[in-house]
Amino acid sequence: MDLKELYREVILDHNRTPRNFGRLEDADARAEGHNPLCGDQLSVTLRLQGDRVADLRFEGRGCAISVASASLMTEAVKGRSREEIARLYGEVHALLTDRTRAPAGDLGKLMALAGVAEFPARVKCASLCWHTLNAALERAPAPASTE
Amino acid sequence: MSKPAAVAQAAAPAAPAFDVARVRADFPILSRQIHGKPLVYLDSAASSQRPLPVLRAVEHYETALHANVHRGVHSLSQWATEAYEHAREIVRRFLNARSTREIVFVRGTTEAINLVANSWGRDRLSAGDEILITHLEHHANIVPWQMVCAATGARLRAAPVRPNGELDLEAFRALLHPRTRLVAVAHVSNALGTILPVQEIVRLAHARGVPVLLDGAQAIAHEAVDVQALDCDFYAFSGHKVYAPTGIGVLYGRESLLDAMPPWQGGGDMILSVGIDSSTYNELPWKFEAGTPNISGAVGLGAALEYVEALGRRAIGAHEHSLLEVATERLAALPRLRLVGTAPAKAAVISFTIDGVHPHDIGTILDSEGVAIRTGHHCAMPIMELYGLAATARASFACYNSLEDIDRLLEGLRKVRELFA
Ligand SMILES: Cc1ncc(COP(=O)(O)O)c(C=O)c1O
């Protein structure tokens, strides 16, 4: 078990200085995520443009893995469509839970989370932000039809 | 002329040092490696490990004595019944209860408290009545009362805790109202280590005719527990926190109270005779033991309590206390480390946080060093909230921990600081 695999530089950096931290005042949707096991809390606010997530923020408290994962997620999904986000989530989920499978697409910086799969007790920490994002998206108003 | 000083010296030789190496040899799991490093087990407040005498007693029971208890005429059934009832006698002796009629075997502390909440509570409570707990209770001593309050209209009150983790006894006293029907408090807090002034609590409550339940989950392995000296009305504990297997625990209840309480669960063993329309309930304590019990668990519990008696409760307590003092001093000296719970009277539990590092990360890094601690809210969310914390890291000590374990904890914490510099 190699701690450096889990706490990669990217993870430590995003934990120290999380990107897109805070709350959007003019959000179209928000959701709260809660990990009852450890008491971690997370909220995601987002603004949509048509089918795309134009902007999003997260805030809350949690361990380095959950904060870094949320920070990386906000960077990765900003500007993407719902469908793209769903696909990305599938890839990240596989990355977190299945150490044998190589990711199908290019996950970019999210690959920093690859070490989590070696630490089953920490998978929930890394996936909390994605569940929260999904909940916010489900609540978001369907894109207004243009006609 | 005798020389009193010399005589006194001869009569009271220095207590032999607690032989922790010998104790450790009794616990096979302690020789395990975790991630290639020798295990340092500092999570006994969540569950302690089992010594060979307990494992052997369970094995002997399972390989030589097992059958269902009570009612059997064949030899095995009689031996199993004897083993089970012998364990009850050991528990009685350990708690200094008056009679084995006051010793009910249950699954653990949680079930013991639920038994009292349901059997004692539902019958006696009505709208306007109050149950008094404290802010530092384990969820097991909160939720059952919330449930019975919801069912009866009674109200749950909680006495506040001072910033150092001590119970605010004045506030507790003020919360003892004319409608208080029961006081239910921890003997020792699992999240902070605080030892509560239970004797004073019992005295105050009894002065108003209010019975007291003590949650002894964290005290049973570390404190002297004498239910007659404590004068409590109920005492609940779990075997697995006192070197016994999981799935067995005890509810002690004052006989006059247990006698007046209706059974909680119905089934076999708790009856004398059953007709289709009604049944006659069994005597104490079996009235509260519906169904086939955890016989081997009870046997293991008996062996565990005898193990503790053989080591000596005072000797264990003194050993743990010296570990607590050393660890507290060394941890408090670390930069950015904050101790959570610094009451003057504490059992061997140290909760702490480190600025800028979440307890989960501390736990994972220590685990990679072979050091097992607990992180999280310790099933005591109300007290965590009082400290404005979602979680702490918690190291807890038992008879088998050593000064080297503290060295390894400190080494691990150095790794934490390096990684999160
Ligand atoms: C103070 C306290 N009460 C109750 C419990 C519940 O014990 P069990 O889960 O064995 O029923 C615990 C266990 O952590 C505890 O520490």
Side-chain angles (χ1 to χ4, degrees):
Chain A
M1 166 159 130
D2 188 358
L3 273 184
K4 290 262 148 49
E5 272 300 294
L6 181 64
Y7 295 111
R8 296 180 194 194
E9 229 2 274
V10 179
I11 303 276
L12 294 171
D13 172 44
H14 277 255
N15 176 50
R16 251 187 321 261
T17 42
R19 323 294 199 266
N20 301 304
F21 194 82
R23 173 198 334 228
L24 287 177
E25 292 307 334
D26 53 348
D28 294 315
R30 71 177 282 137
E32 307 282 341
H34 187 222
N35 184 344
L37 237 70
C38 52
D40 286 354
Q41 279 171 334
L42 197 83
S43 79
V44 169
T45 45
L46 57 83
R47 213 175 53 239
L48 291 166
Q49 210 161 56
D51 187 40
R52 287 183 186 276
V53 172
D55 201 1
L56 78 166
R57 299 266 191 286
F58 85 98
E59 65 181 359
R61 55 184 182 186
C63 62
I65 307 304
S66 86
V67 171
S69 178
S71 173
L72 289 164
M73 177 192 80
T74 58
E75 287 192 330
V77 305
K78 201 183 277 193
R80 302 241 200 172
S81 70
R82 285 172 188 260
E83 199 189 316
E84 286 168 336
I85 292 173
R87 214 176 314 124
L88 195 57
Y89 170 61
E91 289 301 319
V92 171
H93 185 75
L95 180 74
L96 293 177
T97 53
D98 185 354
R99 49 186 122 156
T100 58
R101 190 177 144 228
D106 177 17
L107 286 175
K109 270 203 259 177
L110 287 168
M111 282 305 291
L113 292 166
V116 174
E118 300 284 337
F119 295 79
R122 305 305 295 275
V123 171
K124 279 202 163 73
C125 308
S127 55
L128 177 64
C129 59
W130 288 91
H131 296 304
T132 313
L133 172 66
N134 288 341
L137 281 172
E138 270 166 33
R139 270 182 222 163
S145 77
T146 39
E147 251 347 275
Chain B
M1 277 284 291
S2 64
K3 293 179 192 156
V7 168
Q9 244 172 8
F18 190 78
D19 189 353
V20 69
R22 221 195 66 215
V23 173
R24 291 178 68 83
D26 286 336
F27 291 81
I29 205 168
L30 296 180
S31 52
R32 269 211 68 161
Q33 306 261 311
I34 305 287
H35 307 302
K37 316 226 164 87
L39 165 66
V40 171
Y41 190 73
L42 298 177
D43 195 20
S44 298
S47 196
S48 57
Q49 300 296 348
R50 295 105 185 70
L52 285 168
V54 169
L55 302 174
R56 291 201 182 110
V58 171
E59 186 184 24
H60 174 67
Y61 170 77
E62 297 288 10
T63 51
L65 305 176
H66 173 70
N68 210 333
V69 287
H70 306 138
R71 298 176 313 270
V73 294
H74 61 79
S75 300
L76 284 178
S77 176
Q78 284 173 37
W79 292 336
T81 303
E82 275 164 28
Y84 182 64
E85 295 302 331
H86 177 59
R88 198 189 307 277
E89 167 55 23
I90 296 172
V91 173
R92 185 208 63 74
R93 189 177 74 214
F94 196 84
L95 296 179
N96 192 30
R98 286 168 203 84
S99 151
T100 50
R101 292 165 60 83
E102 302 182 314
I103 306 297
V104 180
F105 282 125
V106 291
R107 268 196 306 132
T109 311
T110 303
E111 189 171 72
I113 297 173
N114 275 278
L115 192 164
V116 176
N118 283 279
S119 168
W120 183 89
R122 283 188 193 240
D123 244 23
R124 279 166 188 72
L125 296 170
S126 52
D129 286 344
E130 295 185 358
I131 293 168
L132 180 55
I133 61 172
T134 78
H135 259 286
L136 54 64
E137 300 306 319
H138 187 280
H139 297 166
N141 197 31
I142 303 174
V143 184
W145 305 118
Q146 290 173 343
M147 291 165 71
V148 76
C149 283
T152 60
R155 184 161 171 219
L156 187 59
R157 310 294 301 255
V161 169
R162 297 216 169 92
N164 69 353
E166 253 181 314
L167 176 67
D168 184 337
L169 203 58
E170 275 314 305
F172 173 86
R173 190 199 309 261
L175 278 165
L176 272 173
H177 294 164
R179 296 296 300 269
T180 306
R181 292 285 173 260
L182 181 78
V183 166
V185 301
H187 190 170
V188 170
S189 151
N190 69 313
L192 308 175
T194 310
I195 302 172
L196 280 88
V198 285
Q199 230 141 2
E200 183 65 7
I201 287 171
V202 170
R203 204 183 57 74
L204 290 169
H206 281 184
R208 291 173 166 272
V210 179
V212 178
L213 176 144
L214 297 180
D215 169 355
Q218 290 299 332
I220 192 70
H222 312 284
E223 291 295 302
V225 176
D226 176 331
V227 291
Q228 293 191 57
L230 288 169
D231 199 27
C232 58
D233 302 277
F234 298 105
Y235 198 94
F237 75 89
S238 304
H240 70 97
K241 307 224 195 226
V242 59
Y243 313 116
T246 53
I248 186 76
V250 168
L251 172 69
Y252 158 83
R254 196 186 287 280
E255 185 168 343
S256 55
L257 283 172
L258 289 181
D259 228 8
M261 284 158 54
W264 174 36
Q265 293 175 333
D269 258 349
M270 54 73 68
I271 43 75
L272 288 177
S273 69
V274 174
I276 285 302
D277 294 325
S278 70
S279 303
T280 315
Y281 302 137
N282 203 340
E283 292 175 29
L284 288 178
W286 306 288
K287 179 172 89 175
F288 292 108
E289 294 181 2
T292 301
N294 182 356
I295 311 164
S296 72
V299 168
L301 175 59
L305 297 183
E306 286 188 323
Y307 182 80
V308 169
E309 281 173 345
L311 286 185
R313 280 195 259 185
R314 267 168 187 271
I316 295 175
H319 170 68
E320 290 172 351
H321 197 76
S322 67
L323 294 177
L324 176 71
E325 282 190 341
V326 171
T328 302
E329 192 180 319
R330 293 185 66 186
L331 286 178
L334 296 180
R336 291 161 35 202
L337 189 141
R338 175 181 164 212
L339 296 172
V340 182
T342 49
K346 268 190 73 174
V349 170
I350 303 187
S351 253
F352 62 94
T353 58
I354 298 177
D355 287 349
V357 191
H358 191 281
H360 269 191
D361 297 311
I362 300 174
T364 294
I365 296 165
L366 289 180
D367 180 59
S368 76
E369 296 294 308
V371 179
I373 63 157
R374 184 135 301 240
T375 64
H377 54 55
H378 316 298
C379 291
M381 288 172 86
I383 192 69
M384 292 286 123
E385 203 167 302
L386 217 67
Y387 282 98
L389 296 168
T392 70
R394 181 189 72 185
S396 52
F397 304 104
C399 65
Y400 39 68
N401 289 117
S402 65
L403 287 170
E404 290 81 70
D405 291 346
I406 298 176
D407 290 340
R408 293 273 309 280
L409 171 65
L410 268 286
E411 264 170 54
L413 291 177
R414 194 164 47 74
K415 287 251 153 67
V416 172
R417 290 206 308 282
E418 274 168 24
L419 205 65
F420 281 82

